[in-house]
Amino acid sequence: MAILRNSNAIEGKVVLDVGAGTGVLSIFCAQAGARKVYAVEGSSIADQAVKIVKLNKMEDKIDIIKGTLEAIDLPEQVDVIVSEWMGYALLHESMLNSVLFARDKWLKPGGLILPCKAELYLAPINDLVSEDRLNFWSTVKNQYGVDMSCMTDFARRCIMNNDITVNPVTVEDVLSHPSKFAELDLYTVTVDQLKSVKGIFSCDCFGSSTVNALCVWFTVTFPGGEKPLILSTSPFKQETHWKQAILYLDEPVDVEQDTKVEGEIHMYPSAESSRHICIHVDYSIGQLKMQSKTFSIPDGYSETQP
Amino acid sequence: MAILRNSNAIEGKVVLDVGAGTGVLSIFCAQAGARKVYAVEGSSIADQAVKIVKLNKMEDKIDIIKGTLEAIDLPEQVDVIVSEWMGYALLHESMLNSVLFARDKWLKPGGLILPCKAELYLAPINDLVSEDRLNFWSTVKNQYGVDMSCMTDFARRCIMNNDITVNPVTVEDVLSHPSKFAELDLYTVTVDQLKSVKGIFSCDCFGSSTVNALCVWFTVTFPGGEKPLILSTSPFKQETHWKQAILYLDEPVDVEQDTKVEGEIHMYPSAESSRHICIHVDYSIGQLKMQSKTFSIPDGYSETQP
């Protein structure tokens, strides 16, 4: 665990857990020898955290503070900030703003932030699930004697829409090595910079296939020991509850080995809700002219309760 | 197919398709020899139905009429009404009211309604998925060294809530033979009667297990030939897109062979939206005293688009 790897840095120190949830990270910190942990949680799950801390006999080390980070008060500055702040596509309904607020208000100079860095990646994919759903309409005639092939276009517009789709991507569907398009250093990034996270990407396709979507994911890095620990939500790694963010293109495009998929991607808060994310992509595939598409996460894609 | 089985009754006849969707039932009726099919569809999918009818060269036989059944006009009375009106738990966002309206306004005396009958069933189940999710909290201590067992009660209240959960039920989780609690004869049932569909149930458990939910499903019957055709959404049959409706009890109850699970179930439209369904259940299990619980379907459980 990332916390235990950093136990040298945590032992005897004061820790702030931003968005503590059930308090499990706070307990890890106490187990790693923290002198004191302030566990701040705004939702009613804080009541459960109180029970869990008591059950684990950590009341003397961990203070559960019910309230939003921006509103609460702490009796002292802290040596370490820990937080599991990441949302879908890293920034959707994320708590990163609160972590940065906590850093600027409560972290001692030279203090530690866990995780300390986030990176964003993109790769073109050939999403077979959506292709199968589209191909269904061409099979109806043979199966039921009714030609419904003209539904394919309509269904394509329904599926290949402007929603950011959060789903696990099968590794076989990924068509190139990932391209890193942004990196956030949690010691220096500002709330203002989070309003526009932008970067370029360039991918060389592995071989003959069809690109029907771009796939976005992230990693976060915990410093420590000889080797930093990286939590990756890549389709090449074990699935996490963040899965991947899929951006469907309007039309599928055939690619060959070394066909370039490149462009610029821009993540920013939606005008309706500052905690919701929009993604704008300008992209070109091979010799085709540049295309643009803007995506957002539909309502109801919130973190699930236990 | 139910339509083709009734081709004797459809041949040369005039058919009304209530909520025609893509028009596939209408095309089946035309293939079965209908003289004329009026396909009424209120949503924009009607535009797709027009294309599909043209693609299948049935424009002379099938009229797609865009509008709600209650608002449109037909040039003649019809011999047959067909409709795929069923919603989750039979009545959630169902179009049965429109079918009954069509019957009273447009069906010739002695005309045919397909399907002609719906039946509702209930059985106690032991939903293992929810049990696994609850048991997780007891395993955290061994896996991660943090005792989170006190989360089980909280998680139980989150999962075992008042939502009607639409999910496929595994046949092994069904704890008794089904008990039929209601039957709707589409020739005689009235819109008024649909406001309160009520019945009693009595189930004898197969053997030792734990009841943590009641499961509700339906069948609809198409007359025809020697043997009527029954479309069943039972967990004992192949899964359909209706799956089953799961009603979680607040507390699981242990049962033995022949333990009686009995009571009364009442389905009625929600006060907020007449197209949404509520289910109230009074039940007793074995010697335990009667319990009551009222359920509704959460927002967002609408029929999916193609």
Side-chain angles (χ1 to χ4, degrees):
Chain A
M1 298 294 306
I3 302 282
L4 298 178
R5 278 207 187 208
N6 282 278
S7 58
N8 280 343
I10 288 175
E11 208 172 342
K13 298 293 171 63
V14 178
V15 177
L16 169 57
D17 183 353
V18 177
T22 56
V24 65
L25 281 189
S26 294
I27 293 174
F28 288 149
C29 290
Q31 288 174 340
R35 175 167 68 76
K36 189 81 200 175
V37 184
Y38 299 105
V40 179
E41 172 58 47
S43 85
S44 63
I45 196 86
D47 304 331
Q48 302 303 317
V50 169
K51 286 185 204 165
I52 290 168
V53 165
K54 202 169 284 181
L55 190 64
N56 289 275
K57 301 191 174 48
M58 300 247 177
E59 306 100 301
D60 54 329
K61 289 211 160 184
I62 303 174
D63 285 0
I64 307 286
I65 303 172
K66 196 169 171 179
T68 64
L69 202 285
E70 289 76 3
I72 58 96
D73 208 18
L74 298 181
E76 58 183 322
Q77 296 291 101
V78 304
D79 304 294
V80 183
I81 291 174
V82 300
S83 182
E84 197 273 75
W85 53 266
M86 301 83 76
Y88 292 128
L90 188 66
L91 297 175
H92 181 70
E93 299 202 334
S94 100
M95 288 186 300
L96 184 50
N97 281 354
S98 296
V99 172
L100 302 187
F101 183 94
R103 174 195 70 191
D104 296 341
K105 185 165 181 185
W106 297 112
L107 189 64
K108 288 179 191 168
L112 193 66
I113 305 179
L114 298 177
C116 61
K117 188 170 73 170
E119 292 168 287
L120 281 154
Y121 294 87
L122 178 148
I125 64 169
N126 172 27
D127 181 57
L128 287 172
V129 175
S130 62
E131 284 305 307
D132 283 351
R133 285 177 63 191
L134 293 175
N135 287 337
F136 163 78
W137 296 105
S138 305
T139 67
V140 177
K141 187 167 185 181
N142 274 335
Q143 265 194 290
Y144 303 104
V146 179
D147 189 344
M148 301 191 82
S149 57
C150 63
M151 280 293 285
T152 308
D153 275 353
F154 177 73
R156 186 178 295 286
R157 289 197 302 277
C158 289
I159 297 176
M160 308 308 194
N161 57 18
N162 293 76
D163 289 345
I164 299 169
T165 305
V166 176
N167 257 336
V169 168
T170 310
V171 65
E172 288 81 7
D173 294 353
V174 182
L175 303 182
S176 80
H177 292 294
S179 176
K180 181 161 90 172
F181 64 87
E183 185 173 319
L184 305 176
D185 177 343
L186 266 67
Y187 290 106
T188 58
V189 70
T190 64
V191 169
D192 222 46
Q193 284 167 348
L194 290 183
K195 290 180 187 153
S196 172
V197 174
K198 209 180 254 191
I200 57 167
F201 58 88
S202 177
C203 304
D204 298 308
C205 289
F206 291 140
S208 294
S209 186
T210 305
V211 181
N212 64 7
L214 304 173
C215 165
V216 170
W217 69 89
F218 63 88
T219 64
V220 296
T221 302
F222 298 84
E226 308 126 27
K227 230 183 117 180
L229 185 116
I230 295 174
L231 166 63
S232 173
T233 66
S234 159
F236 296 98
K237 303 285 178 174
Q238 216 198 323
E239 188 182 325
T240 69
H241 97 101
W242 289 282
K243 302 166 194 164
Q244 284 85 36
I246 303 174
L247 314 173
Y248 286 108
L249 311 183
D250 289 331
E251 293 291 338
V253 179
D254 289 338
V255 294
E256 304 295 332
Q257 192 183 331
D258 294 331
T259 299
K260 271 217 184 302
V261 179
E262 52 190 357
E264 191 177 50
I265 178 163
H266 184 195
M267 300 172 76
Y268 54 95
S270 111
E272 291 82 46
S273 163
S274 63
R275 302 197 60 229
H276 286 214
I277 192 85
C278 292
I279 303 182
H280 177 85
V281 193
D282 300 310
Y283 65 93
S284 68
I285 301 178
Q287 302 306 312
L288 297 179
K289 76 175 198 322
M290 189 71 76
Q291 305 265 327
S292 291
K293 195 166 176 183
T294 305
F295 302 85
S296 58
I297 290 198
D299 287 343
Y301 255 116
S302 297
E303 304 270 330
T304 46
Q305 289 292 319
Chain B
M1 298 295 305
I3 302 282
L4 297 177
R5 279 210 187 205
N6 282 279
S7 58
N8 280 344
I10 289 175
E11 207 170 343
K13 298 293 171 63
V14 178
V15 178
L16 169 58
D17 182 354
V18 177
T22 57
V24 65
L25 281 188
S26 294
I27 292 174
F28 287 148
C29 290
Q31 287 174 340
R35 175 166 68 75
K36 189 80 198 176
V37 183
Y38 300 105
V40 179
E41 172 57 46
S43 85
S44 63
I45 196 85
D47 303 333
Q48 302 304 317
V50 169
K51 287 184 202 165
I52 290 168
V53 164
K54 202 169 283 180
L55 190 64
N56 289 275
K57 301 190 174 48
M58 299 249 176
E59 308 98 302
D60 55 330
K61 289 214 161 184
I62 303 174
D63 285 1
I64 307 285
I65 303 172
K66 196 171 171 177
T68 63
L69 202 285
E70 289 76 3
I72 58 98
D73 208 17
L74 298 181
E76 58 184 321
Q77 296 291 101
V78 305
D79 304 294
V80 183
I81 292 175
V82 300
S83 181
E84 197 272 75
W85 53 267
M86 300 84 75
Y88 293 126
L90 188 67
L91 296 174
H92 182 69
E93 298 201 337
S94 102
M95 286 186 302
L96 183 51
N97 281 354
S98 296
V99 173
L100 302 187
F101 183 94
R103 175 196 69 192
D104 297 340
K105 185 165 182 185
W106 297 112
L107 189 64
K108 288 181 191 167
L112 192 66
I113 306 180
L114 297 177
C116 61
K117 187 169 74 168
E119 292 168 286
L120 282 154
Y121 294 87
L122 178 148
I125 64 169
N126 173 26
D127 182 57
L128 286 172
V129 175
S130 62
E131 285 305 309
D132 282 352
R133 286 175 63 192
L134 293 177
N135 287 337
F136 163 78
W137 296 106
S138 306
T139 68
V140 177
K141 187 167 185 183
N142 274 336
Q143 265 195 292
Y144 302 106
V146 179
D147 189 344
M148 300 190 83
S149 56
C150 63
M151 281 293 286
T152 308
D153 276 352
F154 177 72
R156 185 178 296 285
R157 289 197 301 277
C158 290
I159 297 176
M160 308 309 194
N161 57 18
N162 293 76
D163 290 345
I164 299 170
T165 306
V166 176
N167 256 337
V169 168
T170 311
V171 65
E172 288 80 8
D173 294 352
V174 182
L175 303 183
S176 80
H177 291 295
S179 175
K180 181 162 89 171
F181 64 85
E183 186 173 319
L184 304 177
D185 177 345
L186 267 67
Y187 290 106
T188 58
V189 70
T190 64
V191 169
D192 223 46
Q193 285 166 347
L194 290 182
K195 290 180 186 153
S196 172
V197 173
K198 210 181 253 192
I200 57 168
F201 58 90
S202 177
C203 304
D204 298 307
C205 289
F206 291 141
S208 294
S209 187
T210 304
V211 181
N212 64 6
L214 304 173
C215 165
V216 169
W217 69 88
F218 64 88
T219 64
V220 296
T221 303
F222 298 84
E226 308 127 26
K227 228 182 117 179
L229 186 116
I230 295 175
L231 166 62
S232 173
T233 66
S234 158
F236 296 97
K237 304 284 179 175
Q238 217 197 322
E239 187 181 326
T240 69
H241 97 100
W242 289 281
K243 303 166 194 165
Q244 284 85 34
I246 303 173
L247 314 173
Y248 287 108
L249 311 184
D250 289 331
E251 293 290 339
V253 178
D254 289 338
V255 294
E256 306 294 333
Q257 191 182 331
D258 294 330
T259 299
K260 273 219 183 301
V261 178
E262 53 190 356
E264 192 178 49
I265 178 164
H266 184 195
M267 300 172 76
Y268 55 94
S270 109
E272 292 82 44
S273 164
S274 64
R275 302 198 61 230
H276 286 216
I277 193 85
C278 293
I279 303 182
H280 178 84
V281 193
D282 300 309
Y283 63 94
S284 67
I285 301 178
Q287 301 308 314
L288 297 179
K289 75 175 200 320
M290 188 72 75
Q291 305 265 325
S292 289
K293 196 167 174 182
T294 304
F295 302 85
S296 58
I297 291 198
D299 287 344
Y301 255 117
S302 298
E303 303 271 329
T304 46
Q305 289 292 318

